[in-house]
Amino acid sequence: FFSPTFWCSAAYFKQASKIEDVTVVGKEEVAFERVLGKDIGQALMNMHSEKGVKFEMNAGVVSFDGKDGHVTSIKLDNGKVLPADLVIIGAGIVIPSEYVKDNTGIEVFRDGSIICDDKMMAAKDVYVAGDMARFKLWMIEKHTRIEHWDVAIQQGKIAALNMVEKNAIYRSTPFFWTAQFGKSVRYCGHALQWSEQIVKGSLEERKFAVYFIDNDKVNAVCTLDMDPVAVAAAELIRVRAMPHPDEIRKPDFNIITHLC
């Protein structure tokens, strides 16, 4: 899952002239590569680069240097040293599940997440929601974990309903968003992998919708500056009515018409 808050911070500081020089350090070759792929990642990187944001990719941070309690620079594993007055770290989370590892009724995944079903139940009378929940996602029929507050809220509702025996199951479509230099990025669904990306619109002009295809099925859609498409896609995924990839490939394809 990519970090919209982290990238929004870089865009905000540069756009609002809060900080003169902004550099993003990442371990991937292209930003967002693992989640969105190289093509979308490069398009977003280009948008930031044109606004003056710098990038150090294929790099990690080795150490921080400072003086009088304030950071002055960071050292990268490629040997470069970057002067710094402020460092924002987006490094994911460590799941604090040690306290349940000795409970034989609860299954803990190798990353520390707690495995549960689509009712958010990990064991009898034990429910889990949020970043630590490795839950069965209906749309891919696999267990996964998603770090996003909106998903956590929906899971919490499902867990609460089942605590009072209302027999609810998680059926929401994961959806997250960010704003980058006046353009909105929207992502719905969940694509752990894909064999093809169908691009509608233009990556170069930064107005597009990209469909993530695997086994002749759309598992996710990412849009830039095309919010209505993302909203329509989320609903079509939810009701299992997303058009076949062959339909999406047609030049005159319009996803909005499929809501009717």
Side-chain angles (χ1 to χ4, degrees), residues 1-2 7 28-45 57 187 191-194 196-197 199 203 208 210-212 220 222:
F1 209 88
F2 80 119
W7 277 80
E28 299 170 308
E29 180 181 346
V30 175
F32 306 117
E33 180 180 345
R34 182 179 64 85
V35 177
L36 301 180
K38 287 187 176 181
D39 292 341
I40 300 176
Q42 190 63 61
L44 296 175
M45 279 184 65
M57 304 305 294
Y187 180 99
L192 296 172
Q193 61 186 29
W194 58 88
E196 179 187 4
Q197 290 183 334
V199 179
L203 293 170
F208 59 76
V210 178
Y211 297 78
F212 294 70
C222 177

PDB file of all heavy atoms in Angstrom, residues 1-2 7 28-45 57 187 191-194 196-197 199 203 208 210-212 220 222:
ATOM      1  N   PHE A   1       0.850  -1.159   0.000  1.00  0.00           N
ATOM      2  CA  PHE A   1       0.000   0.000   0.000  1.00  0.00           C
ATOM      3  C   PHE A   1       0.905   1.234   0.000  1.00  0.00           C
ATOM      4  O   PHE A   1       1.803   1.340   0.804  1.00  0.00           O
ATOM      5  CB  PHE A   1      -0.830  -0.061   1.269  1.00  0.00           C
ATOM      6  CG  PHE A   1      -2.165   0.593   1.186  1.00  0.00           C
ATOM      7  CD1 PHE A   1      -3.233  -0.147   0.738  1.00  0.00           C
ATOM      8  CD2 PHE A   1      -2.356   1.905   1.542  1.00  0.00           C
ATOM      9  CE1 PHE A   1      -4.483   0.432   0.673  1.00  0.00           C
ATOM     10  CE2 PHE A   1      -3.589   2.485   1.480  1.00  0.00           C
ATOM     11  CZ  PHE A   1      -4.652   1.740   1.046  1.00  0.00           C
ATOM     12  N   PHE A   2       0.766   2.281  -0.901  1.00  0.00           N
ATOM     13  CA  PHE A   2       1.647   3.444  -0.922  1.00  0.00           C
ATOM     14  C   PHE A   2       1.189   4.480   0.110  1.00  0.00           C
ATOM     15  O   PHE A   2       0.091   4.410   0.632  1.00  0.00           O
ATOM     16  CB  PHE A   2       1.747   4.043  -2.322  1.00  0.00           C
ATOM     17  CG  PHE A   2       0.598   4.924  -2.738  1.00  0.00           C
ATOM     18  CD1 PHE A   2       0.826   6.252  -3.044  1.00  0.00           C
ATOM     19  CD2 PHE A   2      -0.692   4.432  -2.845  1.00  0.00           C
ATOM     20  CE1 PHE A   2      -0.213   7.071  -3.446  1.00  0.00           C
ATOM     21  CE2 PHE A   2      -1.732   5.245  -3.251  1.00  0.00           C
ATOM     22  CZ  PHE A   2      -1.493   6.569  -3.552  1.00  0.00           C
ATOM     23  N   TRP A   7       3.581  11.508   0.543  1.00  0.00           N
ATOM     24  CA  TRP A   7       3.757  12.223  -0.720  1.00  0.00           C
ATOM     25  C   TRP A   7       3.022  13.553  -0.710  1.00  0.00           C
ATOM     26  O   TRP A   7       3.490  14.534  -1.280  1.00  0.00           O
ATOM     27  CB  TRP A   7       3.257  11.345  -1.874  1.00  0.00           C
ATOM     28  CG  TRP A   7       4.313  10.399  -2.270  1.00  0.00           C
ATOM     29  CD1 TRP A   7       4.646   9.221  -1.666  1.00  0.00           C
ATOM     30  CD2 TRP A   7       5.229  10.540  -3.350  1.00  0.00           C
ATOM     31  NE1 TRP A   7       5.692   8.635  -2.305  1.00  0.00           N
ATOM     32  CE2 TRP A   7       6.067   9.414  -3.343  1.00  0.00           C
ATOM     33  CE3 TRP A   7       5.409  11.505  -4.336  1.00  0.00           C
ATOM     34  CZ2 TRP A   7       7.082   9.235  -4.274  1.00  0.00           C
ATOM     35  CZ3 TRP A   7       6.410  11.328  -5.267  1.00  0.00           C
ATOM     36  CH2 TRP A   7       7.245  10.202  -5.224  1.00  0.00           C
ATOM     37  N   GLU A  28      12.715   1.849  -3.968  1.00  0.00           N
ATOM     38  CA  GLU A  28      12.342   1.328  -5.285  1.00  0.00           C
ATOM     39  C   GLU A  28      13.045   2.119  -6.389  1.00  0.00           C
ATOM     40  O   GLU A  28      13.548   3.227  -6.164  1.00  0.00           O
ATOM     41  CB  GLU A  28      10.835   1.403  -5.470  1.00  0.00           C
ATOM     42  CG  GLU A  28      10.061   0.579  -4.451  1.00  0.00           C
ATOM     43  CD  GLU A  28       8.564   0.865  -4.504  1.00  0.00           C
ATOM     44  OE1 GLU A  28       8.177   2.033  -4.430  1.00  0.00           O
ATOM     45  OE2 GLU A  28       7.804  -0.099  -4.628  1.00  0.00           O
ATOM     46  N   GLU A  29      13.043   1.556  -7.592  1.00  0.00           N
ATOM     47  CA  GLU A  29      13.616   2.264  -8.733  1.00  0.00           C
ATOM     48  C   GLU A  29      12.759   3.459  -9.117  1.00  0.00           C
ATOM     49  O   GLU A  29      13.259   4.523  -9.495  1.00  0.00           O
ATOM     50  CB  GLU A  29      13.743   1.299  -9.927  1.00  0.00           C
ATOM     51  CG  GLU A  29      14.323   1.930 -11.178  1.00  0.00           C
ATOM     52  CD  GLU A  29      14.420   0.954 -12.332  1.00  0.00           C
ATOM     53  OE1 GLU A  29      14.293  -0.264 -12.102  1.00  0.00           O
ATOM     54  OE2 GLU A  29      14.627   1.409 -13.481  1.00  0.00           O
ATOM     55  N   VAL A  30      11.437   3.275  -9.027  1.00  0.00           N
ATOM     56  CA  VAL A  30      10.474   4.321  -9.351  1.00  0.00           C
ATOM     57  C   VAL A  30       9.497   4.427  -8.192  1.00  0.00           C
ATOM     58  O   VAL A  30       9.106   3.417  -7.598  1.00  0.00           O
ATOM     59  CB  VAL A  30       9.719   3.987 -10.660  1.00  0.00           C
ATOM     60  CG1 VAL A  30       8.623   5.005 -10.938  1.00  0.00           C
ATOM     61  CG2 VAL A  30      10.684   3.925 -11.829  1.00  0.00           C
ATOM     62  N   ALA A  31       9.090   5.631  -7.879  1.00  0.00           N
ATOM     63  CA  ALA A  31       8.131   5.824  -6.796  1.00  0.00           C
ATOM     64  C   ALA A  31       6.836   5.053  -7.060  1.00  0.00           C
ATOM     65  O   ALA A  31       6.373   4.974  -8.204  1.00  0.00           O
ATOM     66  CB  ALA A  31       7.826   7.320  -6.663  1.00  0.00           C
ATOM     67  N   PHE A  32       6.266   4.476  -6.028  1.00  0.00           N
ATOM     68  CA  PHE A  32       5.003   3.715  -6.101  1.00  0.00           C
ATOM     69  C   PHE A  32       5.103   2.438  -6.934  1.00  0.00           C
ATOM     70  O   PHE A  32       4.089   1.835  -7.264  1.00  0.00           O
ATOM     71  CB  PHE A  32       3.870   4.570  -6.679  1.00  0.00           C
ATOM     72  CG  PHE A  32       3.626   5.870  -5.990  1.00  0.00           C
ATOM     73  CD1 PHE A  32       3.789   7.069  -6.651  1.00  0.00           C
ATOM     74  CD2 PHE A  32       3.222   5.899  -4.661  1.00  0.00           C
ATOM     75  CE1 PHE A  32       3.558   8.273  -6.017  1.00  0.00           C
ATOM     76  CE2 PHE A  32       2.989   7.097  -4.016  1.00  0.00           C
ATOM     77  CZ  PHE A  32       3.158   8.292  -4.695  1.00  0.00           C
ATOM     78  N   GLU A  33       6.309   2.035  -7.292  1.00  0.00           N
ATOM     79  CA  GLU A  33       6.474   0.908  -8.217  1.00  0.00           C
ATOM     80  C   GLU A  33       5.797  -0.361  -7.723  1.00  0.00           C
ATOM     81  O   GLU A  33       5.125  -1.060  -8.493  1.00  0.00           O
ATOM     82  CB  GLU A  33       7.959   0.640  -8.441  1.00  0.00           C
ATOM     83  CG  GLU A  33       8.262  -0.506  -9.378  1.00  0.00           C
ATOM     84  CD  GLU A  33       9.747  -0.726  -9.571  1.00  0.00           C
ATOM     85  OE1 GLU A  33      10.539   0.171  -9.219  1.00  0.00           O
ATOM     86  OE2 GLU A  33      10.126  -1.800 -10.075  1.00  0.00           O
ATOM     87  N   ARG A  34       5.941  -0.677  -6.457  1.00  0.00           N
ATOM     88  CA  ARG A  34       5.396  -1.938  -5.942  1.00  0.00           C
ATOM     89  C   ARG A  34       3.879  -1.963  -5.997  1.00  0.00           C
ATOM     90  O   ARG A  34       3.285  -2.996  -6.282  1.00  0.00           O
ATOM     91  CB  ARG A  34       5.865  -2.158  -4.495  1.00  0.00           C
ATOM     92  CG  ARG A  34       5.386  -3.467  -3.884  1.00  0.00           C
ATOM     93  CD  ARG A  34       5.904  -3.620  -2.467  1.00  0.00           C
ATOM     94  NE  ARG A  34       5.373  -2.587  -1.593  1.00  0.00           N
ATOM     95  CZ  ARG A  34       4.186  -2.679  -0.969  1.00  0.00           C
ATOM     96  NH1 ARG A  34       3.414  -3.748  -1.160  1.00  0.00           N
ATOM     97  NH2 ARG A  34       3.771  -1.724  -0.172  1.00  0.00           N
ATOM     98  N   VAL A  35       3.246  -0.830  -5.751  1.00  0.00           N
ATOM     99  CA  VAL A  35       1.787  -0.795  -5.666  1.00  0.00           C
ATOM    100  C   VAL A  35       1.133  -0.398  -6.982  1.00  0.00           C
ATOM    101  O   VAL A  35       0.111  -0.961  -7.374  1.00  0.00           O
ATOM    102  CB  VAL A  35       1.346   0.182  -4.548  1.00  0.00           C
ATOM    103  CG1 VAL A  35      -0.175   0.293  -4.499  1.00  0.00           C
ATOM    104  CG2 VAL A  35       1.895  -0.272  -3.211  1.00  0.00           C
ATOM    105  N   LEU A  36       1.734   0.573  -7.693  1.00  0.00           N
ATOM    106  CA  LEU A  36       1.108   1.107  -8.903  1.00  0.00           C
ATOM    107  C   LEU A  36       1.830   0.728 -10.194  1.00  0.00           C
ATOM    108  O   LEU A  36       1.267   0.907 -11.276  1.00  0.00           O
ATOM    109  CB  LEU A  36       1.010   2.634  -8.810  1.00  0.00           C
ATOM    110  CG  LEU A  36       0.224   3.192  -7.629  1.00  0.00           C
ATOM    111  CD1 LEU A  36       0.225   4.716  -7.667  1.00  0.00           C
ATOM    112  CD2 LEU A  36      -1.195   2.654  -7.611  1.00  0.00           C
ATOM    113  N   GLY A  37       3.048   0.223 -10.099  1.00  0.00           N
ATOM    114  CA  GLY A  37       3.803  -0.107 -11.304  1.00  0.00           C
ATOM    115  C   GLY A  37       4.680   1.060 -11.751  1.00  0.00           C
ATOM    116  O   GLY A  37       4.515   2.202 -11.330  1.00  0.00           O
ATOM    117  N   LYS A  38       5.621   0.755 -12.640  1.00  0.00           N
ATOM    118  CA  LYS A  38       6.605   1.755 -13.058  1.00  0.00           C
ATOM    119  C   LYS A  38       5.992   2.891 -13.864  1.00  0.00           C
ATOM    120  O   LYS A  38       6.400   4.052 -13.728  1.00  0.00           O
ATOM    121  CB  LYS A  38       7.715   1.093 -13.869  1.00  0.00           C
ATOM    122  CG  LYS A  38       8.685   0.257 -13.042  1.00  0.00           C
ATOM    123  CD  LYS A  38       9.853  -0.236 -13.888  1.00  0.00           C
ATOM    124  CE  LYS A  38      10.870  -0.989 -13.034  1.00  0.00           C
ATOM    125  NZ  LYS A  38      12.020  -1.451 -13.836  1.00  0.00           N
ATOM    126  N   ASP A  39       5.033   2.590 -14.717  1.00  0.00           N
ATOM    127  CA  ASP A  39       4.501   3.627 -15.613  1.00  0.00           C
ATOM    128  C   ASP A  39       3.768   4.718 -14.836  1.00  0.00           C
ATOM    129  O   ASP A  39       4.003   5.918 -15.048  1.00  0.00           O
ATOM    130  CB  ASP A  39       3.573   3.006 -16.660  1.00  0.00           C
ATOM    131  CG  ASP A  39       4.324   2.123 -17.646  1.00  0.00           C
ATOM    132  OD1 ASP A  39       5.557   2.280 -17.755  1.00  0.00           O
ATOM    133  OD2 ASP A  39       3.681   1.283 -18.307  1.00  0.00           O
ATOM    134  N   ILE A  40       2.870   4.312 -13.930  1.00  0.00           N
ATOM    135  CA  ILE A  40       2.156   5.300 -13.124  1.00  0.00           C
ATOM    136  C   ILE A  40       3.134   6.004 -12.188  1.00  0.00           C
ATOM    137  O   ILE A  40       3.087   7.233 -12.017  1.00  0.00           O
ATOM    138  CB  ILE A  40       1.021   4.650 -12.318  1.00  0.00           C
ATOM    139  CG1 ILE A  40       0.003   3.992 -13.245  1.00  0.00           C
ATOM    140  CG2 ILE A  40       0.328   5.685 -11.427  1.00  0.00           C
ATOM    141  CD1 ILE A  40      -1.099   3.243 -12.528  1.00  0.00           C
ATOM    142  N   GLY A  41       4.026   5.230 -11.592  1.00  0.00           N
ATOM    143  CA  GLY A  41       5.009   5.818 -10.687  1.00  0.00           C
ATOM    144  C   GLY A  41       5.862   6.873 -11.368  1.00  0.00           C
ATOM    145  O   GLY A  41       6.118   7.940 -10.805  1.00  0.00           O
ATOM    146  N   GLN A  42       6.291   6.591 -12.592  1.00  0.00           N
ATOM    147  CA  GLN A  42       7.108   7.556 -13.318  1.00  0.00           C
ATOM    148  C   GLN A  42       6.318   8.815 -13.651  1.00  0.00           C
ATOM    149  O   GLN A  42       6.844   9.931 -13.574  1.00  0.00           O
ATOM    150  CB  GLN A  42       7.644   6.929 -14.602  1.00  0.00           C
ATOM    151  CG  GLN A  42       8.697   7.772 -15.315  1.00  0.00           C
ATOM    152  CD  GLN A  42       9.942   7.952 -14.479  1.00  0.00           C
ATOM    153  OE1 GLN A  42      10.621   6.994 -14.130  1.00  0.00           O
ATOM    154  NE2 GLN A  42      10.259   9.201 -14.147  1.00  0.00           N
ATOM    155  N   ALA A  43       5.048   8.644 -14.011  1.00  0.00           N
ATOM    156  CA  ALA A  43       4.205   9.808 -14.312  1.00  0.00           C
ATOM    157  C   ALA A  43       4.071  10.712 -13.093  1.00  0.00           C
ATOM    158  O   ALA A  43       4.142  11.947 -13.199  1.00  0.00           O
ATOM    159  CB  ALA A  43       2.837   9.350 -14.797  1.00  0.00           C
ATOM    160  N   LEU A  44       3.886  10.118 -11.917  1.00  0.00           N
ATOM    161  CA  LEU A  44       3.762  10.910 -10.694  1.00  0.00           C
ATOM    162  C   LEU A  44       5.097  11.533 -10.298  1.00  0.00           C
ATOM    163  O   LEU A  44       5.144  12.680  -9.827  1.00  0.00           O
ATOM    164  CB  LEU A  44       3.216  10.041  -9.567  1.00  0.00           C
ATOM    165  CG  LEU A  44       1.794   9.517  -9.778  1.00  0.00           C
ATOM    166  CD1 LEU A  44       1.398   8.562  -8.660  1.00  0.00           C
ATOM    167  CD2 LEU A  44       0.801  10.661  -9.860  1.00  0.00           C
ATOM    168  N   MET A  45       6.185  10.787 -10.500  1.00  0.00           N
ATOM    169  CA  MET A  45       7.504  11.354 -10.229  1.00  0.00           C
ATOM    170  C   MET A  45       7.787  12.555 -11.126  1.00  0.00           C
ATOM    171  O   MET A  45       8.324  13.576 -10.670  1.00  0.00           O
ATOM    172  CB  MET A  45       8.587  10.289 -10.436  1.00  0.00           C
ATOM    173  CG  MET A  45       8.777   9.342  -9.283  1.00  0.00           C
ATOM    174  SD  MET A  45      10.143   8.172  -9.543  1.00  0.00           S
ATOM    175  CE  MET A  45      11.561   9.281  -9.573  1.00  0.00           C
ATOM    176  N   MET A  57      16.341   7.557  -5.567  1.00  0.00           N
ATOM    177  CA  MET A  57      15.705   6.246  -5.569  1.00  0.00           C
ATOM    178  C   MET A  57      16.771   5.148  -5.517  1.00  0.00           C
ATOM    179  O   MET A  57      17.962   5.410  -5.690  1.00  0.00           O
ATOM    180  CB  MET A  57      14.827   6.095  -6.811  1.00  0.00           C
ATOM    181  CG  MET A  57      13.780   7.191  -6.957  1.00  0.00           C
ATOM    182  SD  MET A  57      12.694   7.378  -5.517  1.00  0.00           S
ATOM    183  CE  MET A  57      11.803   5.811  -5.524  1.00  0.00           C
ATOM    184  N   TYR A 187      -7.488   5.508  -5.910  1.00  0.00           N
ATOM    185  CA  TYR A 187      -7.206   4.089  -6.114  1.00  0.00           C
ATOM    186  C   TYR A 187      -8.305   3.291  -5.424  1.00  0.00           C
ATOM    187  O   TYR A 187      -8.588   3.503  -4.239  1.00  0.00           O
ATOM    188  CB  TYR A 187      -5.849   3.723  -5.525  1.00  0.00           C
ATOM    189  CG  TYR A 187      -5.444   2.269  -5.677  1.00  0.00           C
ATOM    190  CD1 TYR A 187      -4.569   1.873  -6.686  1.00  0.00           C
ATOM    191  CD2 TYR A 187      -5.914   1.295  -4.798  1.00  0.00           C
ATOM    192  CE1 TYR A 187      -4.178   0.546  -6.818  1.00  0.00           C
ATOM    193  CE2 TYR A 187      -5.535  -0.032  -4.921  1.00  0.00           C
ATOM    194  CZ  TYR A 187      -4.669  -0.398  -5.929  1.00  0.00           C
ATOM    195  OH  TYR A 187      -4.288  -1.716  -6.062  1.00  0.00           O
ATOM    196  N   ALA A 191      -4.868  -4.826  -5.797  1.00  0.00           N
ATOM    197  CA  ALA A 191      -4.139  -5.656  -6.762  1.00  0.00           C
ATOM    198  C   ALA A 191      -2.805  -6.064  -6.161  1.00  0.00           C
ATOM    199  O   ALA A 191      -1.878  -5.252  -6.069  1.00  0.00           O
ATOM    200  CB  ALA A 191      -3.927  -4.899  -8.071  1.00  0.00           C
ATOM    201  N   LEU A 192      -2.718  -7.304  -5.708  1.00  0.00           N
ATOM    202  CA  LEU A 192      -1.455  -7.821  -5.196  1.00  0.00           C
ATOM    203  C   LEU A 192      -0.461  -8.049  -6.331  1.00  0.00           C
ATOM    204  O   LEU A 192       0.748  -7.958  -6.144  1.00  0.00           O
ATOM    205  CB  LEU A 192      -1.696  -9.136  -4.452  1.00  0.00           C
ATOM    206  CG  LEU A 192      -2.561  -9.043  -3.190  1.00  0.00           C
ATOM    207  CD1 LEU A 192      -2.875 -10.436  -2.671  1.00  0.00           C
ATOM    208  CD2 LEU A 192      -1.847  -8.219  -2.122  1.00  0.00           C
ATOM    209  N   GLN A 193      -0.990  -8.364  -7.501  1.00  0.00           N
ATOM    210  CA  GLN A 193      -0.178  -8.572  -8.700  1.00  0.00           C
ATOM    211  C   GLN A 193      -1.071  -8.339  -9.899  1.00  0.00           C
ATOM    212  O   GLN A 193      -2.287  -8.293  -9.785  1.00  0.00           O
ATOM    213  CB  GLN A 193       0.377  -9.998  -8.727  1.00  0.00           C
ATOM    214  CG  GLN A 193      -0.716 -11.071  -8.757  1.00  0.00           C
ATOM    215  CD  GLN A 193      -0.167 -12.478  -8.645  1.00  0.00           C
ATOM    216  OE1 GLN A 193       0.870 -12.710  -8.046  1.00  0.00           O
ATOM    217  NE2 GLN A 193      -0.882 -13.428  -9.228  1.00  0.00           N
ATOM    218  N   TRP A 194      -0.447  -8.154 -11.044  1.00  0.00           N
ATOM    219  CA  TRP A 194      -1.218  -7.976 -12.265  1.00  0.00           C
ATOM    220  C   TRP A 194      -0.397  -8.427 -13.463  1.00  0.00           C
ATOM    221  O   TRP A 194       0.828  -8.396 -13.458  1.00  0.00           O
ATOM    222  CB  TRP A 194      -1.651  -6.519 -12.426  1.00  0.00           C
ATOM    223  CG  TRP A 194      -0.517  -5.528 -12.448  1.00  0.00           C
ATOM    224  CD1 TRP A 194       0.205  -5.101 -13.523  1.00  0.00           C
ATOM    225  CD2 TRP A 194       0.039  -4.846 -11.311  1.00  0.00           C
ATOM    226  NE1 TRP A 194       1.160  -4.199 -13.150  1.00  0.00           N
ATOM    227  CE2 TRP A 194       1.081  -4.012 -11.796  1.00  0.00           C
ATOM    228  CE3 TRP A 194      -0.264  -4.835  -9.952  1.00  0.00           C
ATOM    229  CZ2 TRP A 194       1.833  -3.199 -10.949  1.00  0.00           C
ATOM    230  CZ3 TRP A 194       0.507  -4.039  -9.115  1.00  0.00           C
ATOM    231  CH2 TRP A 194       1.528  -3.227  -9.613  1.00  0.00           C
ATOM    232  N   GLU A 196      -1.401  -7.260 -16.577  1.00  0.00           N
ATOM    233  CA  GLU A 196      -1.585  -6.212 -17.583  1.00  0.00           C
ATOM    234  C   GLU A 196      -2.183  -4.974 -16.924  1.00  0.00           C
ATOM    235  O   GLU A 196      -2.934  -5.068 -15.953  1.00  0.00           O
ATOM    236  CB  GLU A 196      -2.543  -6.703 -18.685  1.00  0.00           C
ATOM    237  CG  GLU A 196      -2.833  -5.690 -19.780  1.00  0.00           C
ATOM    238  CD  GLU A 196      -3.904  -6.149 -20.757  1.00  0.00           C
ATOM    239  OE1 GLU A 196      -4.481  -7.238 -20.523  1.00  0.00           O
ATOM    240  OE2 GLU A 196      -4.167  -5.419 -21.726  1.00  0.00           O
ATOM    241  N   GLN A 197      -1.825  -3.829 -17.465  1.00  0.00           N
ATOM    242  CA  GLN A 197      -2.459  -2.574 -17.099  1.00  0.00           C
ATOM    243  C   GLN A 197      -3.055  -1.955 -18.357  1.00  0.00           C
ATOM    244  O   GLN A 197      -2.343  -1.747 -19.334  1.00  0.00           O
ATOM    245  CB  GLN A 197      -1.462  -1.593 -16.469  1.00  0.00           C
ATOM    246  CG  GLN A 197      -0.986  -1.990 -15.093  1.00  0.00           C
ATOM    247  CD  GLN A 197      -0.055  -0.939 -14.495  1.00  0.00           C
ATOM    248  OE1 GLN A 197       0.597  -0.194 -15.208  1.00  0.00           O
ATOM    249  NE2 GLN A 197       0.002  -0.889 -13.175  1.00  0.00           N
ATOM    250  N   VAL A 199      -4.526   1.282 -19.950  1.00  0.00           N
ATOM    251  CA  VAL A 199      -4.503   2.721 -19.716  1.00  0.00           C
ATOM    252  C   VAL A 199      -5.552   3.394 -20.589  1.00  0.00           C
ATOM    253  O   VAL A 199      -5.552   3.249 -21.811  1.00  0.00           O
ATOM    254  CB  VAL A 199      -3.117   3.319 -20.032  1.00  0.00           C
ATOM    255  CG1 VAL A 199      -3.130   4.834 -19.807  1.00  0.00           C
ATOM    256  CG2 VAL A 199      -2.038   2.652 -19.184  1.00  0.00           C
ATOM    257  N   LEU A 203      -0.960   9.031 -19.771  1.00  0.00           N
ATOM    258  CA  LEU A 203      -0.013   9.181 -18.677  1.00  0.00           C
ATOM    259  C   LEU A 203       0.796  10.461 -18.832  1.00  0.00           C
ATOM    260  O   LEU A 203       1.089  11.149 -17.852  1.00  0.00           O
ATOM    261  CB  LEU A 203       0.927   7.969 -18.631  1.00  0.00           C
ATOM    262  CG  LEU A 203       0.300   6.621 -18.262  1.00  0.00           C
ATOM    263  CD1 LEU A 203       1.293   5.497 -18.488  1.00  0.00           C
ATOM    264  CD2 LEU A 203      -0.177   6.619 -16.821  1.00  0.00           C
ATOM    265  N   PHE A 208      -5.715  10.218 -16.504  1.00  0.00           N
ATOM    266  CA  PHE A 208      -5.830   8.819 -16.921  1.00  0.00           C
ATOM    267  C   PHE A 208      -6.582   7.982 -15.888  1.00  0.00           C
ATOM    268  O   PHE A 208      -6.744   8.370 -14.735  1.00  0.00           O
ATOM    269  CB  PHE A 208      -4.449   8.213 -17.158  1.00  0.00           C
ATOM    270  CG  PHE A 208      -3.532   8.247 -15.949  1.00  0.00           C
ATOM    271  CD1 PHE A 208      -3.689   7.368 -14.893  1.00  0.00           C
ATOM    272  CD2 PHE A 208      -2.496   9.179 -15.885  1.00  0.00           C
ATOM    273  CE1 PHE A 208      -2.841   7.388 -13.794  1.00  0.00           C
ATOM    274  CE2 PHE A 208      -1.643   9.214 -14.790  1.00  0.00           C
ATOM    275  CZ  PHE A 208      -1.818   8.325 -13.749  1.00  0.00           C
ATOM    276  N   VAL A 210      -6.204   3.773 -14.997  1.00  0.00           N
ATOM    277  CA  VAL A 210      -5.455   2.557 -15.290  1.00  0.00           C
ATOM    278  C   VAL A 210      -6.131   1.382 -14.595  1.00  0.00           C
ATOM    279  O   VAL A 210      -6.368   1.420 -13.381  1.00  0.00           O
ATOM    280  CB  VAL A 210      -3.987   2.673 -14.836  1.00  0.00           C
ATOM    281  CG1 VAL A 210      -3.245   1.367 -15.100  1.00  0.00           C
ATOM    282  CG2 VAL A 210      -3.292   3.828 -15.559  1.00  0.00           C
ATOM    283  N   TYR A 211      -6.452   0.348 -15.372  1.00  0.00           N
ATOM    284  CA  TYR A 211      -7.124  -0.846 -14.871  1.00  0.00           C
ATOM    285  C   TYR A 211      -6.094  -1.952 -14.681  1.00  0.00           C
ATOM    286  O   TYR A 211      -5.347  -2.290 -15.609  1.00  0.00           O
ATOM    287  CB  TYR A 211      -8.211  -1.296 -15.851  1.00  0.00           C
ATOM    288  CG  TYR A 211      -9.321  -0.286 -16.022  1.00  0.00           C
ATOM    289  CD1 TYR A 211      -9.152   0.845 -16.830  1.00  0.00           C
ATOM    290  CD2 TYR A 211     -10.535  -0.440 -15.361  1.00  0.00           C
ATOM    291  CE1 TYR A 211     -10.162   1.782 -16.976  1.00  0.00           C
ATOM    292  CE2 TYR A 211     -11.558   0.496 -15.496  1.00  0.00           C
ATOM    293  CZ  TYR A 211     -11.351   1.604 -16.307  1.00  0.00           C
ATOM    294  OH  TYR A 211     -12.362   2.547 -16.453  1.00  0.00           O
ATOM    295  N   PHE A 212      -6.054  -2.522 -13.483  1.00  0.00           N
ATOM    296  CA  PHE A 212      -5.105  -3.577 -13.136  1.00  0.00           C
ATOM    297  C   PHE A 212      -5.769  -4.930 -13.387  1.00  0.00           C
ATOM    298  O   PHE A 212      -6.741  -5.283 -12.712  1.00  0.00           O
ATOM    299  CB  PHE A 212      -4.684  -3.454 -11.679  1.00  0.00           C
ATOM    300  CG  PHE A 212      -3.895  -2.216 -11.360  1.00  0.00           C
ATOM    301  CD1 PHE A 212      -4.494  -0.960 -11.376  1.00  0.00           C
ATOM    302  CD2 PHE A 212      -2.544  -2.305 -11.047  1.00  0.00           C
ATOM    303  CE1 PHE A 212      -3.767   0.183 -11.080  1.00  0.00           C
ATOM    304  CE2 PHE A 212      -1.807  -1.174 -10.750  1.00  0.00           C
ATOM    305  CZ  PHE A 212      -2.408   0.078 -10.771  1.00  0.00           C
ATOM    306  N   ALA A 220      -8.246  -3.742  -9.569  1.00  0.00           N
ATOM    307  CA  ALA A 220      -8.053  -2.397  -9.032  1.00  0.00           C
ATOM    308  C   ALA A 220      -8.053  -1.389 -10.172  1.00  0.00           C
ATOM    309  O   ALA A 220      -7.815  -1.740 -11.336  1.00  0.00           O
ATOM    310  CB  ALA A 220      -6.746  -2.302  -8.252  1.00  0.00           C
ATOM    311  N   CYS A 222      -6.678   2.783 -10.817  1.00  0.00           N
ATOM    312  CA  CYS A 222      -6.023   3.988 -10.321  1.00  0.00           C
ATOM    313  C   CYS A 222      -6.289   5.118 -11.309  1.00  0.00           C
ATOM    314  O   CYS A 222      -6.137   4.929 -12.523  1.00  0.00           O
ATOM    315  CB  CYS A 222      -4.513   3.769 -10.170  1.00  0.00           C
ATOM    316  SG  CYS A 222      -3.613   5.241  -9.631  1.00  0.00           S
TER     317      CYS A 222
END
